[in-house]
Amino acid sequence: MSDVIDRGGAWAVVGAGPHGLSALKNLLQLGLDADGFERDTDLGGNWNFHAENSRVYESTHLISTKPFTQFPDFPMPDAYPDYPSHWQVHRYFRSYAEHFGLLDHLHFNSEVVSVTPAADQRWDVTMRDRETGDETTRQYAGVVIANGHNWWPKIPQYPGQDTFTGEIKHSADYKSADVVRGKRVLVVGAGNTGCDVAVESAQNAKETFHSTRRGYYYNPKYAFGRPSDQTADLLLALRLPLALRRVMFKSVLRLTVGDFEKFGLRKPDHEFFETHPIVNQQLVYYVGHGDISPKPDIARFDGSTVHFEDGTSAEIDVVVFCTGYLAHFPFLDDSYLNLDGDHPVLARQIFTPATPTLAVSGLIQPDSGQWTIAHWQGMLIATYAALRAQDPQAAQRFYDAMVAETGVRFTGGAEYKDSTRHYYEIAHQEYLRAIERDLQRIESMTPSVMAAAR
Amino acid sequence: MSRLRRSSKVMRLWDWSVPPTSAHREVLSIVPEGWIDAPRATRKPPILFVHGLAHGAWCWREHWMPAAAERGFPVYAVSLRGHGDSGGRKRLGRTLLRHYVHDVMQTITELPQQPVLVGHSMGALVSQLVADRYSPRGLALLTPAPIQGAAYEMPKLIRKRPLDAAKVLAGGTLPLRAEQLFTGLDEATAARYVDRLGRESPWAQYELLLPHRIGPVRCPVLVVGTPDDRVVDEKAVEVTAAAYGVDPVWLPGIGHDLMLDGGWEKALSVVLDWVDERC
């Protein structure tokens, strides 16, 4: 089909996960027209358990509590627990979409296969109907990319890995404990998924080894009877200096969990806040019960044996690489996202210096809840889109000011460890403060943006 | 003098680190038959009523809810915690306006689509605080508690009703009597309504004295006052209306509780006509 359907001033949103939904909702709320495209038959993205690219597993729960994880204009139900399950999260996204009338603007089973530039900084978006295979192209004033960055597995390579006689899996294929039940298991990686899988393996496998590159801080979900992330936010709100917060966090960890080394875990080789926080109260418990044997990095594979860097080895039936994901934009020429090697370098993790009508939402890994940030990213993008429609020159000034800050990181003063895992890491309060300032700037540029809105 | 913020408030540190507790909510509703199956684009929007100081959802159920449902609107009314048949009575002494905002937000998320918020008196202030974070379809403020804070009213209250003023300052509930709330009701009916009034949180009352900054509010706003209001004076209504750049609609002859007083039909039609026309 060569006919391009002109969608006028409308924006396209790629993906109907939480960031896509938020972008769509805020665009519509500010009076713009918008279409959302989702390759699956349902919304929710990563949280749509049965979707091909969903990476949540049966036991997934949030690792941050509701207050700053939820959309600020659509709180999670009081009936939900502090740390809701992925089932509840999915129901929550559905009721958000229903409440704000997003379903009429969402196209399911529609895989975006290409986003290419058209004249006047517009974009041709081509989608394939996953049932019929038919392709259609529509032209938009702008595109919000919200296809997520936790679905394209990053698989490491160790010497001898190809000769390993056991099974090798990535956490992307891990949907439940069935993968490990009754087996000798090696879990690789101490991200939050790695720790969850290690714990679940401890409960179900014959033996569990947990290989990590370094020692980490394993933070409890509760400390002193309160969700610990809420206490952390209180300390941040008080604007205590980083050094003092480090001392306080480490003391609390020492008081509530204890000395990691006494459990046989390695001492962290880095300062607090230098790696993405791990929130897992059970890992240390199972290490203490001998159900998880901590191991350093893998040295090599040899038949059914895995050798570790400290010279020890173990017989393994199944390896689960919980080694994370890489961002992947198969529908777009990478040059539009200002790639540095394998990852985009953006302004506010949203705007790309390559073009003013492309915005990214969700390319963040906050040290806290995600969807409060999703809301404000969506709001900033929508306000910018509305300004472009009304006063292109003012919008250009705002865009220029934004991309002048391309590559600026929001680390809360810490130096993140060099790892693909920290490409998109942000300190949530510092980041949100920046977004608040951006909104101040752009909302004061055009009072009419507000007047135009419903 | 703008009382509205020009840009969005992102940082809600207090809500993030010490979130409001939950309480059982009483939500009354009447949904006209066939409404839920009608197309979203053409059906009338839901209306959510938020009551005022010491009142409860019951005050809307008396006349307004059935009459509005009769006109095709799905109507809902929530009792804020510690009021009506909602929970949280024991904790009323520790309740702040933010808890009421939480109760209204929770109620909103259970509605099938964005409602028009109709707030009365203290409920009008709570509704504005809700609109500070959520975009309702419309915002109707009826005899609203002053956005600039009611502190300026204290000298008058001390002069005219010193015992009431002392009671409020000591943490008691502001006494609301029939002659303050109604102008056109027979004695027995007025007494029946006054009997149903409950207690108010002392902290929420203190917060009513303080100025509030909200916004940006992007939806249509209606402000309704009455010159015969003996609880909220005309100045409060005017300042609130000015904050949103609208002219207040005045309904002479009706008292503060315009959903219960004689003449409630007139007040309701002002609100519903506005919803039909603007929202």
Side-chain angles (χ1 to χ4, degrees):
Chain A
M1 290 244 295
S2 58
D3 294 344
V4 176
I5 302 161
D6 187 355
R7 290 288 286 116
W11 279 58
V13 179
V14 183
H19 280 265
L21 294 176
S22 157
L24 187 61
K25 179 231 147 205
N26 285 308
L27 285 163
L28 294 169
Q29 190 173 300
L30 292 193
L32 285 120
D33 198 2
D35 298 332
F37 298 102
E38 168 57 51
R39 74 193 292 276
D40 198 74
T41 52
D42 196 3
L43 54 78
N46 203 12
W47 300 87
N48 175 17
F49 183 80
H50 297 291
E52 191 184 336
N53 282 340
S54 164
R55 302 306 181 217
V56 295
Y57 29 91
E58 268 181 7
S59 62
T60 302
H61 284 250
L62 293 186
I63 55 167
S64 55
T65 54
K66 294 188 285 178
F68 34 80
T69 306
Q70 63 203 2
F71 297 118
D73 60 348
F74 200 79
M76 289 191 196
D78 276 345
Y80 277 23
D82 291 332
Y83 296 98
S85 72
H86 68 90
W87 300 113
Q88 289 170 317
V89 167
H90 186 244
R91 269 206 301 282
Y92 168 68
F93 291 147
R94 174 151 276 281
S95 62
Y96 176 84
E98 282 169 1
H99 182 86
F100 289 110
L102 306 184
L103 296 176
D104 296 341
H105 302 269
L106 279 172
H107 301 256
F108 292 107
N109 247 333
S110 289
E111 179 168 13
V112 171
V113 288
S114 86
V115 174
T116 53
D120 301 328
Q121 298 177 326
R122 296 169 62 78
W123 294 90
D124 285 337
V125 179
T126 303
M127 40 264 156
R128 181 187 297 136
D129 186 310
R130 299 230 300 159
E131 233 161 76
T132 63
D134 292 347
E135 293 195 357
T136 41
T137 302
R138 301 170 175 218
Q139 194 175 93
Y140 291 92
V143 179
V144 182
I145 294 174
N147 68 327
H149 65 92
N150 279 324
W151 59 276
W152 186 257
K154 178 190 149 195
I155 300 173
Q157 274 297 330
Y158 291 97
Q161 192 167 319
D162 298 337
T163 66
F164 180 59
T165 54
E167 254 184 303
I168 292 189
K169 293 209 169 254
H170 188 274
S171 59
D173 311 311
Y174 185 96
K175 291 305 256 189
S176 76
D178 291 346
V179 171
V180 296
R181 191 160 287 126
K183 297 183 177 153
R184 296 171 298 182
V185 179
L186 171 63
V187 180
V188 182
N192 287 293
T193 298
C195 294
D196 275 0
V197 172
V199 164
E200 213 161 78
S201 178
Q203 295 162 341
N204 293 285
K206 190 169 159 195
E207 272 184 291
T208 301
F209 301 90
H210 188 205
S211 161
T212 65
R213 270 182 298 187
R214 52 171 66 97
Y216 290 96
Y217 301 97
Y218 299 95
N219 300 287
K221 281 193 160 176
Y222 290 93
F224 307 119
R226 289 189 83 230
S228 39
D229 56 356
Q230 293 175 13
T231 308
D233 251 41
L234 190 61
L235 297 182
L236 268 176
L238 299 174
R239 302 244 196 175
L240 300 179
L242 180 65
L244 183 58
R245 277 188 292 127
R246 279 181 169 150
V247 170
M248 293 175 81
F249 273 70
K250 284 198 275 193
S251 317
V252 167
L253 215 48
R254 186 87 183 197
L255 280 166
T256 55
V257 184
D259 183 352
F260 291 131
E261 282 179 281
K262 286 193 179 151
F263 286 89
L265 288 158
R266 271 175 299 163
K267 189 179 155 90
D269 66 346
H270 55 284
E271 261 300 343
F272 218 98
F273 303 121
E274 281 180 351
T275 54
H276 184 71
I278 298 165
V279 188
N280 194 309
Q281 204 146 11
Q282 292 169 285
L283 184 109
V284 177
Y285 173 93
Y286 282 106
V287 169
H289 286 63
D291 293 332
I292 295 175
S293 310
K295 289 285 176 191
D297 207 358
I298 296 170
R300 61 192 164 87
F301 288 85
D302 183 8
S304 61
T305 312
V306 180
H307 297 273
F308 300 98
E309 286 199 326
D310 60 356
T312 61
S313 61
E315 293 295 303
I316 299 296
D317 300 319
V318 56
V319 176
V320 186
F321 280 129
C322 301
T323 43
Y325 300 90
L326 292 169
H328 188 52
F329 310 94
F331 47 82
L332 181 70
D333 186 321
D334 287 343
S335 64
Y336 293 110
L337 292 176
N338 194 35
L339 248 62
D340 171 11
D342 55 356
H343 66 285
V345 178
L346 306 174
R348 298 282 186 277
Q349 305 291 112
I350 295 175
F351 298 102
T352 162
T355 163
T357 48
L358 204 60
V360 182
S361 186
L363 202 59
I364 47 168
Q365 180 167 270
D367 58 352
S368 173
Q370 181 93 12
W371 307 312
T372 292
I373 303 176
H375 171 81
W376 291 114
Q377 285 195 330
M379 198 55 155
L380 184 61
I381 294 168
T383 311
Y384 169 71
L387 182 60
R388 273 192 73 84
Q390 286 188 16
D391 185 348
Q393 277 147 7
Q396 189 64 35
R397 284 199 301 281
F398 177 78
Y399 170 77
D400 291 341
M402 279 287 107
V403 294
E405 295 185 39
T406 298
V408 171
R409 299 289 302 266
F410 301 88
T411 66
E415 186 86 24
Y416 294 140
K417 283 275 165 199
D418 187 25
S419 160
T420 58
R421 179 182 183 192
H422 296 134
Y423 281 162
Y424 316 116
E425 186 76 15
I426 54 170
H428 71 291
Q429 288 201 9
E430 185 184 332
Y431 181 80
L432 283 172
R433 281 204 170 88
I435 298 279
E436 187 169 61
R437 286 193 300 274
D438 298 337
L439 280 166
Q440 261 162 25
R441 183 174 354 185
I442 194 169
E443 285 176 334
S444 71
M445 282 169 114
T446 45
S448 54
V449 166
M450 302 206 247
R454 283 194 284 140
Chain B
M1 178 187 56
S2 174
R3 305 208 171 258
L4 293 195
R5 270 195 303 270
R6 291 194 64 189
S7 72
S8 307
K9 182 176 166 65
V10 172
M11 304 304 287
R12 306 241 181 219
L13 301 167
W14 186 233
D15 285 348
W16 295 339
S17 50
V18 191
T21 52
S22 70
H24 168 73
R25 279 185 312 285
E26 174 196 28
V27 179
L28 306 178
S29 66
I30 309 176
V31 179
E33 210 166 315
W35 181 87
I36 201 80
D37 301 317
R40 200 182 161 105
T42 53
R43 67 188 182 189
K44 289 181 186 283
I47 297 178
L48 174 58
F49 295 109
V50 185
H51 65 78
L53 190 136
H55 287 58
W58 59 267
C59 71
W60 307 103
R61 185 68 186 77
E62 199 70 11
H63 305 300
W64 277 32
M65 286 178 68
E70 194 66 30
R71 267 185 68 169
F73 290 95
V75 283
Y76 303 81
V78 57
S79 287
L80 303 172
R81 68 184 63 193
H83 300 69
D85 284 331
S86 282
R89 206 161 290 245
K90 280 188 191 146
R91 294 178 62 95
L92 196 61
R94 280 173 284 169
T95 297
L96 301 168
L97 289 181
R98 68 194 288 255
H99 294 103
Y100 297 158
V101 171
H102 177 89
D103 294 341
V104 177
M105 283 304 305
Q106 284 288 319
T107 310
I108 285 175
T109 62
E110 288 164 7
L111 302 183
Q113 70 187 67
Q114 285 157 281
V116 174
L117 273 180
V118 178
H120 172 239
S121 197
M122 179 186 78
L125 186 60
V126 171
S127 301
Q128 292 170 79
L129 294 170
V130 168
D132 183 34
R133 60 189 72 207
Y134 170 88
S135 191
R137 183 84 167 253
L139 181 61
L141 310 172
L142 314 179
T143 57
I147 189 174
Q148 71 270 38
Y152 75 94
E153 299 240 46
M154 279 313 280
K156 196 168 75 186
L157 186 67
I158 291 168
R159 211 167 51 245
K160 287 190 173 165
R161 289 151 55 197
L163 289 177
D164 288 3
K167 190 174 174 196
V168 167
L169 290 172
T173 300
L174 174 72
L176 295 170
R177 301 178 188 85
E179 64 269 25
Q180 288 161 267
L181 299 178
F182 312 112
T183 64
L185 285 186
D186 63 87
E187 227 170 89
T189 313
R192 186 160 60 84
Y193 292 149
V194 170
D195 251 9
R196 294 197 68 169
L197 298 179
R199 289 194 304 122
E200 190 47 67
S201 153
W203 298 107
Q205 278 186 168
Y206 293 143
E207 283 183 276
L208 292 181
L209 299 174
L210 306 173
H212 294 271
R213 283 205 88 196
I214 38 198
V217 173
R218 298 175 162 105
C219 65
V221 177
L222 171 73
V223 179
V224 178
T226 138
D228 300 303
D229 192 329
R230 281 172 224 118
V231 180
V232 170
D233 71 0
E234 293 175 45
K235 185 177 157 194
V237 175
E238 276 160 6
V239 172
T240 299
Y244 295 95
V246 299
D247 292 324
V249 175
W250 296 105
L251 295 174
I254 310 182
H256 181 71
D257 274 8
L258 32 67
M259 81 296 283
L260 291 172
D261 203 6
W264 63 263
E265 300 93 336
K266 169 93 175 77
L268 177 63
S269 72
V270 165
V271 173
L272 297 185
D273 290 349
W274 167 81
V275 173
D276 274 338
E277 202 178 303
R278 294 291 318 281
C279 298

